[in-house]
PDB file of all heavy atoms in Angstrom:
ATOM      1  N   GLU A   1      -8.789  20.695   7.434  1.00  0.00           N
ATOM      2  CA  GLU A   1     -10.208  20.825   7.085  1.00  0.00           C
ATOM      3  C   GLU A   1     -10.778  19.606   6.378  1.00  0.00           C
ATOM      4  O   GLU A   1     -11.992  19.528   6.132  1.00  0.00           O
ATOM      5  CB  GLU A   1     -10.429  22.066   6.219  1.00  0.00           C
ATOM      6  CG  GLU A   1      -9.701  22.059   4.872  1.00  0.00           C
ATOM      7  CD  GLU A   1      -8.317  22.649   4.927  1.00  0.00           C
ATOM      8  OE1 GLU A   1      -7.756  22.763   6.047  1.00  0.00           O
ATOM      9  OE2 GLU A   1      -7.779  23.008   3.857  1.00  0.00           O
ATOM     10  N   ASP A   2      -9.957  18.636   6.040  1.00  0.00           N
ATOM     11  CA  ASP A   2     -10.443  17.439   5.353  1.00  0.00           C
ATOM     12  C   ASP A   2     -11.282  16.582   6.302  1.00  0.00           C
ATOM     13  O   ASP A   2     -10.922  16.370   7.470  1.00  0.00           O
ATOM     14  CB  ASP A   2      -9.273  16.612   4.822  1.00  0.00           C
ATOM     15  CG  ASP A   2      -8.579  17.273   3.644  1.00  0.00           C
ATOM     16  OD1 ASP A   2      -9.256  18.004   2.900  1.00  0.00           O
ATOM     17  OD2 ASP A   2      -7.368  17.062   3.471  1.00  0.00           O
ATOM     18  N   THR A   3     -12.409  16.091   5.792  1.00  0.00           N
ATOM     19  CA  THR A   3     -13.315  15.276   6.601  1.00  0.00           C
ATOM     20  C   THR A   3     -13.592  13.948   5.898  1.00  0.00           C
ATOM     21  O   THR A   3     -13.149  13.721   4.776  1.00  0.00           O
ATOM     22  CB  THR A   3     -14.637  16.023   6.846  1.00  0.00           C
ATOM     23  OG1 THR A   3     -15.240  16.334   5.574  1.00  0.00           O
ATOM     24  CG2 THR A   3     -14.414  17.316   7.619  1.00  0.00           C
ATOM     25  N   GLY A   4     -14.350  13.097   6.568  1.00  0.00           N
ATOM     26  CA  GLY A   4     -14.704  11.808   5.989  1.00  0.00           C
ATOM     27  C   GLY A   4     -13.519  10.870   5.873  1.00  0.00           C
ATOM     28  O   GLY A   4     -13.453  10.042   4.961  1.00  0.00           O
ATOM     29  N   LEU A   5     -12.575  10.963   6.808  1.00  0.00           N
ATOM     30  CA  LEU A   5     -11.345  10.181   6.741  1.00  0.00           C
ATOM     31  C   LEU A   5     -11.459   8.937   7.620  1.00  0.00           C
ATOM     32  O   LEU A   5     -11.908   9.008   8.769  1.00  0.00           O
ATOM     33  CB  LEU A   5     -10.149  11.021   7.187  1.00  0.00           C
ATOM     34  CG  LEU A   5      -9.964  12.364   6.482  1.00  0.00           C
ATOM     35  CD1 LEU A   5      -8.740  13.082   7.020  1.00  0.00           C
ATOM     36  CD2 LEU A   5      -9.858  12.184   4.973  1.00  0.00           C
ATOM     37  N   TYR A   6     -11.018   7.839   7.084  1.00  0.00           N
ATOM     38  CA  TYR A   6     -10.979   6.583   7.843  1.00  0.00           C
ATOM     39  C   TYR A   6      -9.564   6.380   8.376  1.00  0.00           C
ATOM     40  O   TYR A   6      -8.599   6.346   7.619  1.00  0.00           O
ATOM     41  CB  TYR A   6     -11.397   5.413   6.951  1.00  0.00           C
ATOM     42  CG  TYR A   6     -11.073   4.058   7.535  1.00  0.00           C
ATOM     43  CD1 TYR A   6     -11.580   3.671   8.770  1.00  0.00           C
ATOM     44  CD2 TYR A   6     -10.242   3.172   6.851  1.00  0.00           C
ATOM     45  CE1 TYR A   6     -11.279   2.434   9.311  1.00  0.00           C
ATOM     46  CE2 TYR A   6      -9.941   1.930   7.387  1.00  0.00           C
ATOM     47  CZ  TYR A   6     -10.454   1.568   8.615  1.00  0.00           C
ATOM     48  OH  TYR A   6     -10.144   0.342   9.152  1.00  0.00           O
ATOM     49  N   ARG A   7      -9.449   6.243   9.675  1.00  0.00           N
ATOM     50  CA  ARG A   7      -8.156   6.037  10.321  1.00  0.00           C
ATOM     51  C   ARG A   7      -8.023   4.568  10.708  1.00  0.00           C
ATOM     52  O   ARG A   7      -8.930   4.001  11.308  1.00  0.00           O
ATOM     53  CB  ARG A   7      -8.042   6.898  11.568  1.00  0.00           C
ATOM     54  CG  ARG A   7      -6.734   6.752  12.337  1.00  0.00           C
ATOM     55  CD  ARG A   7      -6.772   7.659  13.556  1.00  0.00           C
ATOM     56  NE  ARG A   7      -5.535   7.611  14.310  1.00  0.00           N
ATOM     57  CZ  ARG A   7      -5.264   6.708  15.245  1.00  0.00           C
ATOM     58  NH1 ARG A   7      -6.145   5.767  15.537  1.00  0.00           N
ATOM     59  NH2 ARG A   7      -4.108   6.745  15.896  1.00  0.00           N
ATOM     60  N   PHE A   8      -6.927   3.948  10.328  1.00  0.00           N
ATOM     61  CA  PHE A   8      -6.731   2.550  10.680  1.00  0.00           C
ATOM     62  C   PHE A   8      -5.361   2.362  11.314  1.00  0.00           C
ATOM     63  O   PHE A   8      -4.418   3.112  11.059  1.00  0.00           O
ATOM     64  CB  PHE A   8      -6.889   1.632   9.460  1.00  0.00           C
ATOM     65  CG  PHE A   8      -5.836   1.815   8.407  1.00  0.00           C
ATOM     66  CD1 PHE A   8      -4.680   1.049   8.415  1.00  0.00           C
ATOM     67  CD2 PHE A   8      -5.996   2.757   7.405  1.00  0.00           C
ATOM     68  CE1 PHE A   8      -3.708   1.224   7.452  1.00  0.00           C
ATOM     69  CE2 PHE A   8      -5.029   2.930   6.432  1.00  0.00           C
ATOM     70  CZ  PHE A   8      -3.881   2.165   6.456  1.00  0.00           C
ATOM     71  N   ALA A   9      -5.278   1.350  12.161  1.00  0.00           N
ATOM     72  CA  ALA A   9      -4.030   1.012  12.832  1.00  0.00           C
ATOM     73  C   ALA A   9      -4.036  -0.479  13.121  1.00  0.00           C
ATOM     74  O   ALA A   9      -4.903  -0.962  13.848  1.00  0.00           O
ATOM     75  CB  ALA A   9      -3.889   1.802  14.126  1.00  0.00           C
ATOM     76  N   PHE A  10      -3.122  -1.218  12.513  1.00  0.00           N
ATOM     77  CA  PHE A  10      -2.981  -2.634  12.802  1.00  0.00           C
ATOM     78  C   PHE A  10      -1.611  -3.094  12.345  1.00  0.00           C
ATOM     79  O   PHE A  10      -0.936  -2.427  11.564  1.00  0.00           O
ATOM     80  CB  PHE A  10      -4.079  -3.481  12.146  1.00  0.00           C
ATOM     81  CG  PHE A  10      -4.226  -3.294  10.667  1.00  0.00           C
ATOM     82  CD1 PHE A  10      -3.591  -4.130   9.769  1.00  0.00           C
ATOM     83  CD2 PHE A  10      -5.030  -2.289  10.146  1.00  0.00           C
ATOM     84  CE1 PHE A  10      -3.731  -3.970   8.404  1.00  0.00           C
ATOM     85  CE2 PHE A  10      -5.187  -2.127   8.783  1.00  0.00           C
ATOM     86  CZ  PHE A  10      -4.531  -2.974   7.909  1.00  0.00           C
ATOM     87  N   ASP A  11      -1.191  -4.231  12.864  1.00  0.00           N
ATOM     88  CA  ASP A  11       0.145  -4.745  12.584  1.00  0.00           C
ATOM     89  C   ASP A  11       0.207  -5.357  11.186  1.00  0.00           C
ATOM     90  O   ASP A  11      -0.590  -6.232  10.846  1.00  0.00           O
ATOM     91  CB  ASP A  11       0.539  -5.804  13.612  1.00  0.00           C
ATOM     92  CG  ASP A  11       0.791  -5.209  14.984  1.00  0.00           C
ATOM     93  OD1 ASP A  11       1.277  -4.069  15.030  1.00  0.00           O
ATOM     94  OD2 ASP A  11       0.505  -5.879  15.985  1.00  0.00           O
ATOM     95  N   ILE A  12       1.152  -4.897  10.399  1.00  0.00           N
ATOM     96  CA  ILE A  12       1.441  -5.507   9.104  1.00  0.00           C
ATOM     97  C   ILE A  12       2.886  -5.978   9.155  1.00  0.00           C
ATOM     98  O   ILE A  12       3.785  -5.186   9.440  1.00  0.00           O
ATOM     99  CB  ILE A  12       1.226  -4.519   7.948  1.00  0.00           C
ATOM    100  CG1 ILE A  12      -0.253  -4.125   7.880  1.00  0.00           C
ATOM    101  CG2 ILE A  12       1.678  -5.123   6.621  1.00  0.00           C
ATOM    102  CD1 ILE A  12      -0.572  -3.136   6.796  1.00  0.00           C
ATOM    103  N   PRO A  13       3.146  -7.260   8.958  1.00  0.00           N
ATOM    104  CA  PRO A  13       4.505  -7.771   9.144  1.00  0.00           C
ATOM    105  C   PRO A  13       5.482  -7.190   8.139  1.00  0.00           C
ATOM    106  O   PRO A  13       5.114  -6.803   7.030  1.00  0.00           O
ATOM    107  CB  PRO A  13       4.343  -9.277   8.960  1.00  0.00           C
ATOM    108  CG  PRO A  13       3.101  -9.432   8.136  1.00  0.00           C
ATOM    109  CD  PRO A  13       2.195  -8.313   8.552  1.00  0.00           C
ATOM    110  N   ILE A  14       6.744  -7.147   8.551  1.00  0.00           N
ATOM    111  CA  ILE A  14       7.802  -6.783   7.623  1.00  0.00           C
ATOM    112  C   ILE A  14       8.055  -7.958   6.686  1.00  0.00           C
ATOM    113  O   ILE A  14       7.460  -9.032   6.828  1.00  0.00           O
ATOM    114  CB  ILE A  14       9.088  -6.392   8.368  1.00  0.00           C
ATOM    115  CG1 ILE A  14       9.639  -7.586   9.168  1.00  0.00           C
ATOM    116  CG2 ILE A  14       8.835  -5.190   9.275  1.00  0.00           C
ATOM    117  CD1 ILE A  14      10.999  -7.317   9.788  1.00  0.00           C
ATOM    118  N   LEU A  15       8.933  -7.764   5.721  1.00  0.00           N
ATOM    119  CA  LEU A  15       9.238  -8.814   4.765  1.00  0.00           C
ATOM    120  C   LEU A  15       9.757 -10.056   5.487  1.00  0.00           C
ATOM    121  O   LEU A  15      10.677  -9.978   6.302  1.00  0.00           O
ATOM    122  CB  LEU A  15      10.283  -8.320   3.761  1.00  0.00           C
ATOM    123  CG  LEU A  15      10.684  -9.302   2.667  1.00  0.00           C
ATOM    124  CD1 LEU A  15       9.538  -9.537   1.700  1.00  0.00           C
ATOM    125  CD2 LEU A  15      11.912  -8.789   1.928  1.00  0.00           C
ATOM    126  N   CYS A  16       9.165 -11.208   5.180  1.00  0.00           N
ATOM    127  CA  CYS A  16       9.533 -12.450   5.862  1.00  0.00           C
ATOM    128  C   CYS A  16      10.788 -13.061   5.227  1.00  0.00           C
ATOM    129  O   CYS A  16      11.047 -12.881   4.038  1.00  0.00           O
ATOM    130  CB  CYS A  16       8.381 -13.448   5.798  1.00  0.00           C
ATOM    131  SG  CYS A  16       7.599 -13.621   4.175  1.00  0.00           S
ATOM    132  N   PRO A  17      11.601 -13.765   6.003  1.00  0.00           N
ATOM    133  CA  PRO A  17      12.761 -14.458   5.436  1.00  0.00           C
ATOM    134  C   PRO A  17      12.311 -15.442   4.355  1.00  0.00           C
ATOM    135  O   PRO A  17      11.336 -16.174   4.533  1.00  0.00           O
ATOM    136  CB  PRO A  17      13.352 -15.194   6.637  1.00  0.00           C
ATOM    137  CG  PRO A  17      12.875 -14.422   7.828  1.00  0.00           C
ATOM    138  CD  PRO A  17      11.512 -13.922   7.460  1.00  0.00           C
ATOM    139  N   GLY A  18      13.022 -15.451   3.240  1.00  0.00           N
ATOM    140  CA  GLY A  18      12.656 -16.330   2.138  1.00  0.00           C
ATOM    141  C   GLY A  18      11.576 -15.776   1.233  1.00  0.00           C
ATOM    142  O   GLY A  18      11.158 -16.438   0.276  1.00  0.00           O
ATOM    143  N   CYS A  19      11.116 -14.547   1.515  1.00  0.00           N
ATOM    144  CA  CYS A  19      10.034 -13.941   0.731  1.00  0.00           C
ATOM    145  C   CYS A  19      10.586 -12.871  -0.206  1.00  0.00           C
ATOM    146  O   CYS A  19      11.677 -12.341  -0.015  1.00  0.00           O
ATOM    147  CB  CYS A  19       8.994 -13.302   1.647  1.00  0.00           C
ATOM    148  SG  CYS A  19       8.087 -14.455   2.671  1.00  0.00           S
ATOM    149  N   ARG A  20       9.790 -12.560  -1.208  1.00  0.00           N
ATOM    150  CA  ARG A  20      10.061 -11.426  -2.091  1.00  0.00           C
ATOM    151  C   ARG A  20       8.831 -10.534  -2.104  1.00  0.00           C
ATOM    152  O   ARG A  20       7.706 -11.019  -2.159  1.00  0.00           O
ATOM    153  CB  ARG A  20      10.392 -11.900  -3.508  1.00  0.00           C
ATOM    154  CG  ARG A  20      11.735 -12.604  -3.598  1.00  0.00           C
ATOM    155  CD  ARG A  20      12.115 -12.893  -5.028  1.00  0.00           C
ATOM    156  NE  ARG A  20      13.389 -13.583  -5.123  1.00  0.00           N
ATOM    157  CZ  ARG A  20      14.570 -12.990  -5.150  1.00  0.00           C
ATOM    158  NH1 ARG A  20      14.636 -11.675  -5.082  1.00  0.00           N
ATOM    159  NH2 ARG A  20      15.686 -13.693  -5.239  1.00  0.00           N
ATOM    160  N   ARG A  21       9.083  -9.245  -2.047  1.00  0.00           N
ATOM    161  CA  ARG A  21       7.982  -8.276  -2.072  1.00  0.00           C
ATOM    162  C   ARG A  21       7.669  -7.932  -3.520  1.00  0.00           C
ATOM    163  O   ARG A  21       8.466  -7.313  -4.216  1.00  0.00           O
ATOM    164  CB  ARG A  21       8.349  -7.042  -1.258  1.00  0.00           C
ATOM    165  CG  ARG A  21       7.243  -6.011  -1.158  1.00  0.00           C
ATOM    166  CD  ARG A  21       7.391  -5.144   0.076  1.00  0.00           C
ATOM    167  NE  ARG A  21       7.125  -5.914   1.299  1.00  0.00           N
ATOM    168  CZ  ARG A  21       7.115  -5.386   2.528  1.00  0.00           C
ATOM    169  NH1 ARG A  21       7.361  -4.093   2.699  1.00  0.00           N
ATOM    170  NH2 ARG A  21       6.863  -6.154   3.577  1.00  0.00           N
ATOM    171  N   MET A  22       6.486  -8.337  -3.973  1.00  0.00           N
ATOM    172  CA  MET A  22       6.039  -8.130  -5.346  1.00  0.00           C
ATOM    173  C   MET A  22       5.001  -7.007  -5.367  1.00  0.00           C
ATOM    174  O   MET A  22       3.964  -7.092  -4.694  1.00  0.00           O
ATOM    175  CB  MET A  22       5.455  -9.418  -5.928  1.00  0.00           C
ATOM    176  CG  MET A  22       6.406 -10.613  -5.873  1.00  0.00           C
ATOM    177  SD  MET A  22       8.019 -10.343  -6.657  1.00  0.00           S
ATOM    178  CE  MET A  22       7.536  -9.936  -8.341  1.00  0.00           C
ATOM    179  N   PHE A  23       5.288  -5.975  -6.134  1.00  0.00           N
ATOM    180  CA  PHE A  23       4.484  -4.754  -6.147  1.00  0.00           C
ATOM    181  C   PHE A  23       3.782  -4.602  -7.489  1.00  0.00           C
ATOM    182  O   PHE A  23       4.402  -4.761  -8.544  1.00  0.00           O
ATOM    183  CB  PHE A  23       5.399  -3.556  -5.885  1.00  0.00           C
ATOM    184  CG  PHE A  23       4.703  -2.223  -5.850  1.00  0.00           C
ATOM    185  CD1 PHE A  23       3.798  -1.917  -4.857  1.00  0.00           C
ATOM    186  CD2 PHE A  23       4.975  -1.261  -6.814  1.00  0.00           C
ATOM    187  CE1 PHE A  23       3.177  -0.680  -4.806  1.00  0.00           C
ATOM    188  CE2 PHE A  23       4.369  -0.027  -6.792  1.00  0.00           C
ATOM    189  CZ  PHE A  23       3.459   0.263  -5.780  1.00  0.00           C
ATOM    190  N   ILE A  24       2.483  -4.321  -7.458  1.00  0.00           N
ATOM    191  CA  ILE A  24       1.725  -3.988  -8.669  1.00  0.00           C
ATOM    192  C   ILE A  24       1.575  -2.476  -8.690  1.00  0.00           C
ATOM    193  O   ILE A  24       0.941  -1.892  -7.806  1.00  0.00           O
ATOM    194  CB  ILE A  24       0.362  -4.684  -8.695  1.00  0.00           C
ATOM    195  CG1 ILE A  24       0.540  -6.208  -8.615  1.00  0.00           C
ATOM    196  CG2 ILE A  24      -0.403  -4.307  -9.971  1.00  0.00           C
ATOM    197  CD1 ILE A  24      -0.762  -6.986  -8.577  1.00  0.00           C
ATOM    198  N   ASP A  25       2.170  -1.835  -9.674  1.00  0.00           N
ATOM    199  CA  ASP A  25       2.356  -0.389  -9.693  1.00  0.00           C
ATOM    200  C   ASP A  25       1.184   0.306 -10.392  1.00  0.00           C
ATOM    201  O   ASP A  25       1.138   0.400 -11.622  1.00  0.00           O
ATOM    202  CB  ASP A  25       3.669  -0.070 -10.409  1.00  0.00           C
ATOM    203  CG  ASP A  25       4.096   1.367 -10.235  1.00  0.00           C
ATOM    204  OD1 ASP A  25       3.267   2.188  -9.792  1.00  0.00           O
ATOM    205  OD2 ASP A  25       5.261   1.677 -10.548  1.00  0.00           O
ATOM    206  N   PHE A  26       0.247   0.826  -9.610  1.00  0.00           N
ATOM    207  CA  PHE A  26      -0.893   1.549 -10.175  1.00  0.00           C
ATOM    208  C   PHE A  26      -0.457   2.846 -10.854  1.00  0.00           C
ATOM    209  O   PHE A  26      -1.155   3.354 -11.744  1.00  0.00           O
ATOM    210  CB  PHE A  26      -1.921   1.876  -9.087  1.00  0.00           C
ATOM    211  CG  PHE A  26      -2.629   0.695  -8.494  1.00  0.00           C
ATOM    212  CD1 PHE A  26      -3.487   0.857  -7.412  1.00  0.00           C
ATOM    213  CD2 PHE A  26      -2.461  -0.583  -9.010  1.00  0.00           C
ATOM    214  CE1 PHE A  26      -4.155  -0.216  -6.856  1.00  0.00           C
ATOM    215  CE2 PHE A  26      -3.120  -1.671  -8.453  1.00  0.00           C
ATOM    216  CZ  PHE A  26      -3.965  -1.481  -7.376  1.00  0.00           C
ATOM    217  N   ASP A  27       0.665   3.416 -10.429  1.00  0.00           N
ATOM    218  CA  ASP A  27       1.133   4.668 -11.034  1.00  0.00           C
ATOM    219  C   ASP A  27       1.458   4.494 -12.512  1.00  0.00           C
ATOM    220  O   ASP A  27       1.533   5.484 -13.250  1.00  0.00           O
ATOM    221  CB  ASP A  27       2.378   5.173 -10.303  1.00  0.00           C
ATOM    222  CG  ASP A  27       2.051   6.272  -9.305  1.00  0.00           C
ATOM    223  OD1 ASP A  27       0.939   6.819  -9.378  1.00  0.00           O
ATOM    224  OD2 ASP A  27       2.904   6.574  -8.454  1.00  0.00           O
ATOM    225  N   ARG A  28       1.684   3.265 -12.929  1.00  0.00           N
ATOM    226  CA  ARG A  28       2.025   3.030 -14.326  1.00  0.00           C
ATOM    227  C   ARG A  28       0.822   2.616 -15.156  1.00  0.00           C
ATOM    228  O   ARG A  28       0.957   2.183 -16.294  1.00  0.00           O
ATOM    229  CB  ARG A  28       3.162   2.010 -14.402  1.00  0.00           C
ATOM    230  CG  ARG A  28       4.465   2.615 -13.859  1.00  0.00           C
ATOM    231  CD  ARG A  28       5.553   1.613 -13.656  1.00  0.00           C
ATOM    232  NE  ARG A  28       6.035   1.044 -14.915  1.00  0.00           N
ATOM    233  CZ  ARG A  28       6.983   0.115 -14.984  1.00  0.00           C
ATOM    234  NH1 ARG A  28       7.535  -0.348 -13.856  1.00  0.00           N
ATOM    235  NH2 ARG A  28       7.375  -0.360 -16.148  1.00  0.00           N
ATOM    236  N   ILE A  29      -0.375   2.770 -14.591  1.00  0.00           N
ATOM    237  CA  ILE A  29      -1.584   2.779 -15.405  1.00  0.00           C
ATOM    238  C   ILE A  29      -1.666   4.171 -16.022  1.00  0.00           C
ATOM    239  O   ILE A  29      -1.616   5.168 -15.303  1.00  0.00           O
ATOM    240  CB  ILE A  29      -2.841   2.518 -14.547  1.00  0.00           C
ATOM    241  CG1 ILE A  29      -2.775   1.140 -13.888  1.00  0.00           C
ATOM    242  CG2 ILE A  29      -4.106   2.642 -15.388  1.00  0.00           C
ATOM    243  CD1 ILE A  29      -3.915   0.880 -12.920  1.00  0.00           C
ATOM    244  N   PRO A  30      -1.728   4.298 -17.332  1.00  0.00           N
ATOM    245  CA  PRO A  30      -1.730   5.643 -17.928  1.00  0.00           C
ATOM    246  C   PRO A  30      -2.806   6.540 -17.343  1.00  0.00           C
ATOM    247  O   PRO A  30      -3.939   6.103 -17.101  1.00  0.00           O
ATOM    248  CB  PRO A  30      -1.995   5.350 -19.420  1.00  0.00           C
ATOM    249  CG  PRO A  30      -1.506   3.950 -19.622  1.00  0.00           C
ATOM    250  CD  PRO A  30      -1.803   3.225 -18.338  1.00  0.00           C
ATOM    251  N   ALA A  31      -2.427   7.802 -17.076  1.00  0.00           N
ATOM    252  CA  ALA A  31      -3.370   8.741 -16.471  1.00  0.00           C
ATOM    253  C   ALA A  31      -4.608   8.930 -17.343  1.00  0.00           C
ATOM    254  O   ALA A  31      -5.709   9.160 -16.835  1.00  0.00           O
ATOM    255  CB  ALA A  31      -2.686  10.082 -16.230  1.00  0.00           C
ATOM    256  N   ASP A  32      -4.436   8.838 -18.652  1.00  0.00           N
ATOM    257  CA  ASP A  32      -5.566   8.986 -19.579  1.00  0.00           C
ATOM    258  C   ASP A  32      -5.961   7.620 -20.132  1.00  0.00           C
ATOM    259  O   ASP A  32      -6.328   7.490 -21.303  1.00  0.00           O
ATOM    260  CB  ASP A  32      -5.223   9.940 -20.717  1.00  0.00           C
ATOM    261  CG  ASP A  32      -3.962   9.506 -21.483  1.00  0.00           C
ATOM    262  OD1 ASP A  32      -3.255   8.601 -20.990  1.00  0.00           O
ATOM    263  OD2 ASP A  32      -3.712  10.078 -22.558  1.00  0.00           O
TER     264      ASP A  32
END
């Protein structure tokens, strides 16, 4: 029943040789 959804599909490369995946963790922004 959910509406107003944007569906996307495109190629996102996997981790490249010599690269490091650096993540900024929004979950560790305090909920309050």
